[in-house]
Amino acid sequence: MKIAVPKEIKNHEYRVALTPTGARELVARGHEVTVQAGAGEGAGFPDADYEAAGARLEGDVAKVWSEAELILKVKEPQPEEVARLSKGQTLFTYLHLAAEEDLTRGLMESGATCIAYETITAPQGGLPLLAPMSTVAGRMAVQAGAHSLEKAQGGAGVLLPGVPGVAPARVTVIGGGVVGENAARMALGLGAEVTVLDKSIPRLETLDDRYQGRMKTVFSTADSLEEAVRESDLIIGAVLVPGAAAPKLITRAMLADMKPGSVLVDVAIDQGGCFETSKPTTHAEPTYVVDGVVHYCVANMPGAVARTSTQALTNATMPFVVALADKGWKQALADDAHFAEGLNVHEGQVTYPAVADAFGLDCVETAKLIG
Ligand SMILES: NC(=O)c1ccc[n+]([C@@H]2O[C@H](COP(=O)([O-])OP(=O)(O)OC[C@H]3O[C@@H](n4cnc5c(N)ncnc54)[C@H](O)[C@@H]3O)[C@@H](O)[C@H]2O)c1
């Protein structure tokens, strides 16, 4: 199969959809891999490494797209990329269509087959192509929070682990899912005193069991949130209510009870944020201060560690890429019901119910297309 890897063009996106290791595997299976010149540079993968892996480098972006049967990307296609797609091509990438009507309609008009990373499920539950980025963001949240606690960043001037004779900082993580567990784990590793709040008792049980009581687990209520606000040096927001905007768990009024120079890291900012005073920021200017509290609200945290993120993402996508390349989209989806959940748009029709519902469009069952 002819597989293309364009260079990402979304602002400050440095990840790439295929590493040289992945290219080598696809070439070894008899596929033709074309990589746009410079596509891997931002993630530390030079063109020469793709060439050595057997891929062909192409400088002309129009050719990269037009000659491909399967196009691998990271971010949702930008308008100029949508215009390059055509019927008969398969696009495999993050799409997040339910919030993007123009993109949905653009992909329908292209006639292409569009499979979204984020709606593929796993037999054991969860979203296997979203989890690696949540893991990265969770781990980064503590790094970002610790840095923001430094005086020069507007923070209180507190060192997370403390030192002998000085108590460690208190870190509260709201939401103990993939992001939250990874954040809590990092904070524990750095020697902070860690509390995780969640609404799910099974989740709190898992964390309590896994960490043998080394982190406190607390049921999330208005009371426990107020206590967290009063006591914490660093609060990490990591909640997710599937299909809904994040609930505003800390209001502006509550900031008055926080210690001056304490820090809020809102990882849920990509779903609107779970603090009332959160607004999306970028890596260029990640923080701002409201009522003496430092806010870190970067919506694409994994972008800052593009190399690690690329490797983590491609480790997870590679088995699906191999299936698409070896069997074609129809057979690959027919063989794997969890992979089939990834199909969002095919030849002008929406195939994912939540996307169709969001825009009042008809939905065609994937099973009818692949059966
Ligand atoms: N900013 C970024 O770069 C970035 C990167 C990756 C993920 N995210 C976001 O991080 C958030 C968390 O993702 P995840 O993968 O960990 O989700 P997840 O589903 O694994 O975990 C979410 C947790 O929140 C809990 N929760 C829901 N409502 C709550 C409440 N009121 N109080 C306390 N806990 C509550 C759930 O029970 C669940 O355990 C999502 O919004 C996701 O989009 C952001």
Side-chain angles (χ1 to χ4, degrees):
M1 185 173 285
K2 289 184 177 162
I3 304 165
V5 184
K7 184 173 165 65
E8 293 295 318
I9 58 171
K10 195 168 179 180
N11 199 13
H12 280 295
E13 180 55 63
Y14 301 107
R15 287 172 292 176
V16 59
L18 188 74
T19 60
T21 306
R24 182 177 163 184
E25 186 167 340
L26 292 171
V27 170
R29 301 176 84 90
H31 303 295
E32 255 178 61
V33 178
T34 301
V35 176
Q36 187 177 346
E41 248 161 40
F45 299 111
D47 286 349
D49 290 6
Y50 286 100
E51 258 183 331
R56 190 173 69 86
L57 287 171
E58 173 60 65
D60 181 350
V61 59
K63 279 194 185 158
V64 171
W65 283 78
S66 65
E67 291 170 3
E69 294 165 276
L70 170 62
I71 296 155
L72 305 176
K73 269 182 56 60
V74 177
K75 293 305 279 188
E76 72 280 3
Q78 304 301 293
E80 63 190 272
E81 294 177 316
V82 175
R84 296 188 192 282
L85 272 171
S86 57
K87 194 172 163 188
Q89 292 185 314
T90 300
L91 172 69
F92 190 38
T93 189
Y94 284 122
L95 287 173
H96 295 288
L97 291 184
E100 293 285 348
E101 182 162 3
D102 287 352
L103 176 58
T104 304
R105 292 189 186 274
L107 293 179
M108 289 167 72
E109 278 162 28
S110 76
T113 299
C114 305
I115 305 171
Y117 291 164
E118 74 276 2
T119 60
I120 294 172
T121 55
Q124 67 276 23
L127 303 169
L129 300 195
L130 262 193
M133 294 305 101
S134 287
T135 302
V136 169
R139 291 182 179 204
M140 253 193 86
V142 173
Q143 203 168 300
H147 183 60
S148 302
L149 274 169
E150 291 173 16
K151 202 71 192 163
Q153 310 304 319
V158 167
L159 181 66
L160 277 191
V163 292
V166 180
R170 290 189 176 162
V171 176
T172 300
V173 180
I174 311 176
V178 181
V179 168
E181 179 177 0
N182 279 283
R185 209 185 124 168
M186 288 291 289
L188 260 192
L190 281 173
E193 195 182 305
V194 182
T195 303
V196 179
L197 267 52
D198 203 298
K199 281 243 173 255
S200 157
I201 293 290
R203 195 59 204 153
L204 293 176
E205 278 171 356
T206 301
L207 293 176
D208 183 66
D209 197 36
R210 222 171 255 172
Y211 297 91
Q212 297 289 303
R214 282 184 296 135
M215 57 177 80
K216 276 193 250 172
T217 56
V218 176
F219 191 65
S220 180
T221 61
D223 272 352
S224 56
L225 282 165
E226 280 172 17
E227 189 182 332
V229 161
R230 279 195 308 272
E231 306 286 334
S232 305
D233 300 286
L234 167 60
I235 300 183
I236 294 169
V239 302
L240 178 65
V241 180
K248 304 290 177 214
L249 299 174
I250 296 183
T251 62
R252 175 148 197 179
M254 290 164 82
L255 297 189
D257 293 330
M258 292 192 77
K259 301 181 214 171
S262 49
V263 173
L264 294 177
V265 174
D266 199 342
V267 186
I269 189 67
D270 63 335
Q271 305 293 328
C274 57
F275 310 133
E276 192 187 359
T277 42
S278 296
K279 55 172 200 257
T281 59
T282 62
H283 290 294
E285 237 176 285
T287 61
Y288 59 95
V289 178
V290 179
D291 297 344
V293 175
V294 182
H295 290 56
Y296 175 103
C297 305
V298 175
N300 67 329
M301 293 174 72
V305 287
R307 190 173 173 87
T308 303
S309 297
T310 292
Q311 288 168 314
L313 177 63
T314 55
N315 282 346
T317 56
M318 206 52 207
F320 298 102
V321 170
V322 167
L324 284 175
D326 285 357
K327 306 180 192 176
W329 72 272
K330 220 178 228 185
Q331 194 59 48
L333 300 196
D335 287 352
D336 179 348
H338 295 282
F339 192 5
E341 302 227 42
L343 189 67
N344 275 233
V345 174
H346 171 68
E347 290 188 356
Q349 295 169 308
V350 172
T351 55
Y352 196 74
V355 175
D357 286 353
F359 310 124
L361 295 165
D362 290 337
C363 186
V364 176
E365 268 182 56
T366 298
K368 288 204 176 123
L369 299 172
I370 57 181

